[in-house]
Amino acid sequence: MRIWRPGVWPTRLFLGGLSVLIALMVGVGWGPIAGAGAQQADANPSPDLPTQTQSTGSLNLGTVRILGIPVLTVASPEVAQGGAGVPAEKRARVIEGNLAWLYETKQLCSRGEALAENFLDLGFLHRNNLACRSDPVGMAGPPEALTVQVRGQAPDPIELVAVLKGRQEPWPLLTVTAEDARWNGTTPRQLADRWQAQLQSRLRFARTIMQPSQLRSRLRLVVIVEFILAGFLVVDLALWRQALRIMRGLDRYPSDGLIKRPRVKQVALHTAQNACRGLLIVAAILVVLMVGIADSAVPGQLPVALDLLLQPGGLIVKVVLLWGATALVRAVLAAILHQWAVNIDVPTDRRARRSQRHGNLLRVLGRLVDLAALLLGISWILGDIPAIRQLSAGAVVAGGALLGALAIVFQSLLRDFIAGLVVIFDDRYAIGDTVEIHGKSGTVTDVGLLSTELRCADQRVVVMQNSGFDQVVNHTKLRSGIDVRIPLSPAMPALEAALDLISTTVKAFAEDSEWSNCLLAPPLLRGVDEITPQGLVVSVLLTTKAGQQWAAKRALLHRLVTTLEQAGIPLAHDGSPAAAAAIGR
């Protein structure tokens, strides 16, 4: 068995290192953006988590958003004097509520309440002063009808208010505090002037895009883009089906290795398979893009849509990094196992056994590396989800309890896994060995982490759980041996003459160049091993190379039967129980 292919592990090492390098370069290129995004995410808690604040030493920070996009950051003391003070995150939510009245259409009543009020007003009261109207406090209007002003001077509180045409009283927005000024590195008055310009421009823009005409135009644009992406998706799926049809047409040869596929068809088949995988990935990316763009059509959902659109890029970087790291680890393991298999300090017979185990260990360790990479990738991807990242200690404990319960439920799988590791590293058997397990005899074709696969002589496949057996008979580990039993008839003329003839035949067999290479020791004639009423059984012990015992037995029996018949020495009567039992062994 060829245990080493010089071009495989260096290629894997090169490709793995190259993919990791590219992914790191991409990561470095995205570093400033990702770093800024991470800092912004830390400093700007998600609106879905209203109780979360970001501590910066003596200050807590809260982010104020307009249509979901951050506009300013407010601060509050981490430790308030006398226990008083409002947390920064709560201040941010209150300020966002004040701002939302200026660009969102608020409905204070349910549909039933609004219909009931309209029915009462039109039918009986006729006051035309509805509480359930769409603009109950006079906030609606064109963008230019809104002006943000600064009220107050230090040391008095400095406030920002919104002045609207048609509304007599200004709408309070926020109060600039000393902590806000300290965090922004300026005075309260200068900070108020800065925030006044920011809020006025952002509020006017929000009022502009919330106009019905703007919403309709935005919806039309999104629908057009969605149709274009849907067209690309249909074309991509059609190409995927065509590539799948081509791959099935090329894959007309059996995959058991009995018939080798031509080299050109192998390349074409792998190309079609990779094309199918790539087209499926493109389809998944298109679906994510369609969902993200559809989400961006909703005002206030643009940050969520952008996060969703950025997910494929981040996912690709993570997959490339994990693939490269996995390729590197597999290449390193392949090099280590190769060095272990060809160690010249190991005896020759043990070296052959190591060569046989090399492929088995490489396959199993590769599966372990793939499993570890899969678990790491899932944890890495799930860890980027804010809801999972912000899990409390109680949720972690509950998750641990759940894992413990699952371990109890699937304890048989854990036993199989541990037993599989013991079987592999304890060298009980390897791929290619002929073994007997629970009365089933066959050649080991696969040793997995949970089960072992045997192929019997009649080509049936037996799959046995690794923890389901505690005794294994290995016929081909390091060397093999077999007891050749010759049943002689009790009516033979002379036992000594028969034994001499058998001894001469056995020696000639051992000196035959065709069979001497597979014998590890001269055949041992043990003499009469059993006496029964039906005859005598003579035993000859053969010690051969691994897996050669059955062919040697058949060849030796053929010579012995031919020689004894020519010498007139009868064998035990055909069909007798003793003869059948002797030959069956």
Side-chain angles (χ1 to χ4, degrees), residues 41 168 221 242 303 374 387 470 508 539 562 578:
Q168 296 181 356
L221 179 60
Q242 184 65 26
L374 178 62
D470 53 3
S539 172
T562 303

Side-chain angles (χ1 to χ4, degrees), residues 451-469:
S451 61
T452 296
E453 183 179 288
L454 302 181
R455 185 170 292 278
C456 303
D458 57 2
Q459 299 304 305
R460 291 182 301 169
V461 175
V462 180
V463 180
M464 312 183 72
Q465 301 301 317
N466 289 333
S467 62
F469 50 84

Side-chain angles (χ1 to χ4, degrees), residues 348-395:
T348 304
D349 57 343
R350 294 282 178 179
R351 205 180 305 167
R353 179 63 180 176
R354 287 196 175 192
S355 300
Q356 182 183 2
R357 295 184 61 201
H358 172 267
N360 190 31
L361 289 173
L362 188 61
R363 177 185 299 186
V364 173
L365 290 178
R367 291 174 179 174
L368 287 175
V369 171
D370 293 341
L371 178 61
L374 178 62
L375 296 177
L376 179 60
I378 293 175
S379 302
W380 194 4
I381 293 172
L382 292 180
D384 286 342
I385 301 176
I388 296 179
R389 191 169 56 243
Q390 301 297 333
L391 287 178
S392 62

Side-chain angles (χ1 to χ4, degrees), residues 16-26 321:
L18 182 61
S19 62
V20 171
L21 180 61
I22 293 175
L24 290 177
M25 291 174 64
V26 173
L321 279 174

Side-chain angles (χ1 to χ4, degrees), residues 20-176:
V20 171
L21 180 61
I22 293 175
L24 290 177
M25 291 174 64
V26 173
V28 170
W30 288 359
I33 300 176
Q39 295 175 2
Q40 187 178 17
D42 292 338
N44 304 338
S46 171
D48 297 334
L49 302 171
T51 60
Q52 177 189 3
T53 58
Q54 174 66 27
S55 176
T56 59
S58 61
L59 296 177
N60 277 341
L61 306 179
T63 301
V64 179
R65 298 172 176 84
I66 295 178
L67 290 177
I69 303 175
V71 60
L72 53 89
T73 301
V74 296
S76 65
E78 175 73 20
V79 181
Q81 296 181 356
V86 179
E89 186 64 25
K90 187 174 182 179
R91 281 188 62 207
R93 300 289 79 79
V94 172
I95 294 171
E96 284 183 0
N98 294 336
L99 297 174
W101 279 102
L102 299 173
Y103 58 86
E104 289 183 355
T105 301
K106 297 288 186 176
Q107 180 59 261
L108 300 178
C109 307
S110 65
R111 293 182 179 179
E113 291 173 339
L115 289 174
E117 185 187 37
N118 287 327
F119 175 76
L120 181 64
D121 186 74
L122 294 175
F124 301 97
L125 300 180
H126 306 289
R127 292 190 304 173
N128 294 325
N129 188 13
L130 303 180
C132 294
R133 59 183 178 175
S134 60
D135 186 21
V137 290
M139 295 291 188
E144 59 274 6
L146 177 135
T147 303
V148 177
Q149 296 181 357
V150 179
R151 299 287 178 91
Q153 290 288 341
D156 296 331
I158 300 177
E159 296 181 348
L160 293 178
V161 298
V163 178
L164 298 132
K165 292 181 180 180
R167 181 182 171 90
Q168 296 181 356
E169 291 294 329
W171 179 254
L173 300 179
L174 62 93
T175 299
V176 181

Side-chain angles (χ1 to χ4, degrees), residues 16 19-20 320-330 369:
S19 62
V20 171
V320 170
L321 279 174
L322 286 175
W323 182 84
T326 303
L328 284 174
V329 173
R330 290 173 70 99
V369 171

Side-chain angles (χ1 to χ4, degrees), residues 213-460:
S213 59
Q214 291 289 330
L215 292 177
R216 288 193 296 268
S217 176
R218 187 174 184 175
L219 181 60
R220 284 196 298 267
L221 179 60
V222 168
V223 170
I224 292 173
V225 175
E226 290 288 338
F227 271 112
I228 294 174
L229 291 178
F232 283 123
L233 181 60
V234 170
V235 173
D236 180 81
L237 292 178
L239 291 176
W240 172 75
R241 293 191 62 182
Q242 184 65 26
L244 188 62
R245 190 178 299 110
I246 294 174
M247 184 178 69
R248 289 175 178 173
L250 293 172
D251 191 20
R252 294 177 303 194
Y253 290 87
S255 57
D256 56 2
L258 298 178
I259 301 178
K260 289 188 176 180
R261 195 179 282 115
R263 181 65 178 175
V264 176
K265 291 190 176 180
Q266 286 184 5
V267 174
L269 181 60
H270 285 291
T271 303
Q273 183 179 15
N274 293 330
C276 290
R277 294 173 178 173
L279 290 171
L280 281 180
I281 294 174
V282 172
I285 294 175
L286 287 174
V287 171
V288 174
L289 289 176
M290 293 177 68
V291 174
I293 292 176
D295 200 14
S296 66
V298 181
Q301 294 298 313
L302 182 59
V304 178
L306 291 177
D307 286 338
L308 186 61
L309 293 175
L310 290 176
Q311 286 300 317
L315 184 63
I316 290 174
V317 172
K318 293 173 185 177
V319 170
V320 170
L321 279 174
L322 286 175
W323 182 84
T326 303
L328 284 174
V329 173
R330 290 173 70 99
V332 171
L333 287 176
I336 294 174
L337 287 176
H338 172 66
Q339 186 63 36
W340 172 81
V342 299
N343 188 3
I344 61 175
D345 295 331
V346 178
T348 304
D349 57 343
R350 294 282 178 179
R351 205 180 305 167
R353 179 63 180 176
R354 287 196 175 192
S355 300
Q356 182 183 2
R357 295 184 61 201
H358 172 267
N360 190 31
L361 289 173
L362 188 61
R363 177 185 299 186
V364 173
L365 290 178
R367 291 174 179 174
L368 287 175
V369 171
D370 293 341
L371 178 61
L374 178 62
L375 296 177
L376 179 60
I378 293 175
S379 302
W380 194 4
I381 293 172
L382 292 180
D384 286 342
I385 301 176
I388 296 179
R389 191 169 56 243
Q390 301 297 333
L391 287 178
S392 62
V396 175
V397 173
L402 178 61
L403 290 178
L406 291 176
I408 295 175
V409 173
F410 298 103
Q411 55 182 330
S412 60
L413 294 180
L414 294 178
R415 286 198 302 266
D416 292 334
F417 179 79
I418 296 174
L421 295 180
V422 172
V423 165
I424 294 167
F425 293 105
D426 195 37
D427 191 20
R428 296 185 180 179
Y429 50 79
I431 295 177
D433 283 341
T434 300
V435 298
E436 291 183 19
I437 303 175
H438 283 320
K440 302 293 184 180
S441 178
T443 302
V444 179
T445 57
D446 189 20
V447 181
L449 297 176
L450 300 178
S451 61
T452 296
E453 183 179 288
L454 302 181
R455 185 170 292 278
C456 303
D458 57 2
Q459 299 304 305
R460 291 182 301 169

